[in-house]
Structure formats: C-alpha cells, structure tokens
Amino acid sequence: MKCIGLLGGMSWESTVSYYQALNRGVRAKLGGLHSARVLLNSVDFAEIERLQHAGDWPATARLLAAEARKLQDGGADFLLIGTNTMHKVAPEIEAAIDIPLLHIADATARRLQADGIKRVGLLGTRFTMEQDFYKGRLQAHFGLEVLVPVEAERERVHRIIYDELCLGEVRNASRAEYLAIIAGLAAAGAEAVILGCTEIALLVGEAQAAVPLYDTTAIHAEAAVTLALISD
C-alpha cells in the first residue's frame, strides 16, 4: 500500500473528514483491521488565510511547497492538498516535489464525466468561484460548463465558509441559505453542484438538495484510496 501524503489544516475541520474518509475507504476495500497509510502535515490556517485575503499567493505557494517537500522527505508516495482553494498554487507545489500530485478538480471532473454531467454549478470560496484556476481547469481540460452564483450569493457562501464552517459552526440558517443558492443554480440549468470547498459537506448533504451534490472531499479521498492500493 502506498503512503498518502496529506497537506492539511486548511481548515482542520475538513482535514478530519479526509482522515476518516481515507481510512474508511481502505477498510472498505481490504476489510478487517486495515487502515490507510497517511502522512499528515497540518499547517496553521490563520497564516494561510491572512495571505489569501491579502492576495499574496506567491507567499502561500512558497509556504505550502516547503511543507509538501516535508511530506515527500517523510516517505509519502503521492500528495493530496486537502483544500480546493489552495489548488490555486498547485502548479508551484507540483514543481517543488518529485512525487505525483492528485488534483482535487481532476478527480471531481472525472466523476462528473463518468456520470454524464455536462453543466455543473460550483460553490466554494470567492477565490474558487471567481478565479480561473479551478473552473477554468474544469472547462479547458474536461469540457464542463460551470455556473456560479451571482455576486451577492458568492459573498454569502464565502462568508459562511470562513466565519462558520472553518470554525466548526454548523447553523440551520446557513444551511437554508446554501440550499436556496443550490436551487437557484439548478433553476439556471445546473445538472449537479460541486461542493468546491472541503468544509461545505459539513453543512449540506445530497438528500437535502434539488440536484446531485458532488462532495470534493469524499471524491478526492476515494481517488487517493484507489491510487494507494494500485500495485506498482
């Protein structure tokens, strides 16, 4: 079994979900007392968040690249970045290491393609919804049409992520807001919605929504389990 390097802590609330999903996935595949081989490097999210909102992406790239190298040096066979937003600096991180990077958007897009989804809504931080590093990848590499909420809704989605979900706060009023926004994306023609922030699945589940929801944390972890169990 390969060792999964997990660059986490962004936020640690979703990193907990990653750790559970990786171990449950391996147990489901192998049975018994099997668990995942995981090397976790959990960073201080306060520093990352400050740099994000200052727009200092080069500094975040340098910081996370250094932490990724520690995972490689510690014996990880491949890398997961346990956050959608920080895939903005995935190219810089990938250039700094010699082990493969399993990209969260690629894993999600392949699942969408397998399910025949062509037009998809995207929820996440403002960075993920508004910048091109994520939705542009879905469009250019996988031919998906990507819809995002209107500006006021994007702001509410972003605020709830940072002010509530990253702090472990799950509020019914915020769930209702998210479900209304998801319904709006469905009304605009989205066949499904990507939960493109690793904390969003803490708030909403597919049974509550008007369209299928694609939980990027779960999809990323499942792809990692598959890769970890492939024999060389």
Side-chain angles (χ1 to χ4, degrees):
M1 185 191 311
K2 296 182 182 70
C3 180
I4 302 166
L6 176 57
L7 187 55
M10 298 171 282
S11 69
W12 69 261
E13 292 286 346
S14 63
T15 301
V16 171
S17 300
Y18 264 101
Y19 188 71
Q20 289 176 328
L22 292 169
N23 283 289
R24 288 170 178 166
V26 169
R27 184 179 62 189
K29 296 282 189 182
L30 301 181
L33 294 177
H34 284 288
S35 55
R37 294 182 60 219
V38 180
L39 190 61
L40 169 63
N41 187 350
S42 187
V43 302
D44 181 1
F45 188 43
E47 184 175 5
I48 300 294
E49 185 274 338
R50 178 181 61 78
L51 293 169
Q52 287 176 340
H53 286 92
D56 194 348
W57 299 104
T60 65
R62 290 191 297 271
L63 189 159
L64 293 180
E67 299 304 324
R69 286 193 295 270
K70 292 177 185 177
L71 288 168
Q72 175 179 285
D73 294 344
D77 292 302
F78 64 94
L79 179 70
L80 302 185
I81 306 171
T83 158
N84 286 273
T85 298
M86 293 319 300
H87 277 75
K88 178 174 174 65
V89 297
E92 293 90 335
I93 294 171
E94 198 166 20
I97 57 178
D98 299 317
I99 57 175
L101 169 67
L102 183 57
H103 198 291
I104 195 168
D106 294 356
T108 301
R110 292 188 186 104
R111 178 69 61 83
L112 288 161
Q113 285 186 325
D115 291 345
I117 302 295
K118 299 183 183 300
R119 196 176 199 204
V120 66
L122 174 63
L123 297 182
T125 65
R126 289 197 68 144
F127 312 117
T128 300
M129 291 186 288
E130 295 177 357
Q131 298 181 20
D132 200 47
F133 70 92
Y134 197 96
K135 62 183 180 182
R137 189 180 184 99
L138 297 177
Q139 293 163 339
H141 293 194
F142 299 95
L144 295 169
E145 183 180 354
V146 182
L147 308 178
V148 296
V150 298
E151 184 174 3
E153 292 175 338
R154 295 197 301 270
E155 180 56 41
R156 291 203 296 276
V157 169
H158 182 93
R159 179 190 58 76
I160 288 167
I161 289 168
Y162 281 93
D163 294 350
E164 299 174 25
L165 299 180
C166 287
L167 299 173
E169 297 180 15
V170 177
R171 301 178 185 175
N172 289 333
S174 297
R175 179 180 295 113
E177 283 195 72
Y178 266 58
L179 291 174
I181 292 168
I182 289 168
L185 289 169
E191 302 166 78
V193 171
I194 298 170
L195 304 185
C197 176
T198 52
E199 287 82 16
I200 295 178
L202 302 173
L203 184 65
V204 295
E206 186 161 286
Q208 302 162 313
V211 291
L213 303 181
Y214 283 72
D215 175 2
T216 53
T217 303
I219 292 168
H220 203 200
E222 185 177 337
V225 168
T226 298
L227 181 56
L229 296 180
I230 293 174
S231 300
D232 292 326

